[in-house]
Amino acid sequence: MAVITSEQVIRWLERFAGLVAENKDYLTQLDAAIGDADHGANMDRGFKAVLAKKSELEGKDITTVLKTVAMTLLSTVGGASGPLYGTFFLQ
């Protein structure tokens, strides 16, 4: 059985943050159809805040990494997305 390390989780977060940044305009377009057209910008801001904490995440256990991600998203992503994604990473 393969074991996932906290370093792998951090690398995944970096890749995911890059994809969010690359697609923030598209995410905002999708949100414009049914919402207030801020999802891409909010998610980009949230994951940039997560990446800003990368140095304090290195060497931590996976639970600490994911809890830090959750709390960062809760405090930086607006609307319903902050609590939604925050809860995902807490779970």
Side-chain angles (χ1 to χ4, degrees):
M1 176 168 39
V3 175
I4 297 172
T5 67
S6 60
E7 290 79 19
Q8 290 170 317
V9 171
I10 292 169
R11 283 197 310 267
W12 179 85
L13 288 165
E14 290 172 321
R15 287 193 304 271
F16 186 75
L19 288 170
V20 169
E22 279 178 40
N23 292 288
K24 73 179 181 179
D25 292 336
Y26 178 63
L27 293 169
T28 295
Q29 273 183 319
L30 292 174
D31 187 37
I34 59 168
D36 53 2
D38 64 351
H39 186 69
N42 283 339
M43 292 302 294
D44 186 46
R45 181 178 57 249
F47 277 96
K48 281 182 177 165
V50 168
L51 293 182
K53 295 183 177 191
K54 182 182 165 195
S55 63
E56 64 187 76
L57 296 176
E58 292 175 352
K60 303 289 185 189
D61 61 89
I62 291 173
T63 301
T64 301
V65 170
L66 295 177
K67 183 175 182 180
T68 301
V69 171
M71 299 312 290
T72 303
L73 294 176
L74 279 167
S75 66
T76 58
V77 176
S81 296
L84 179 68
Y85 285 93
T87 300
F88 169 80
F89 283 99
L90 279 176
Q91 296 300 314

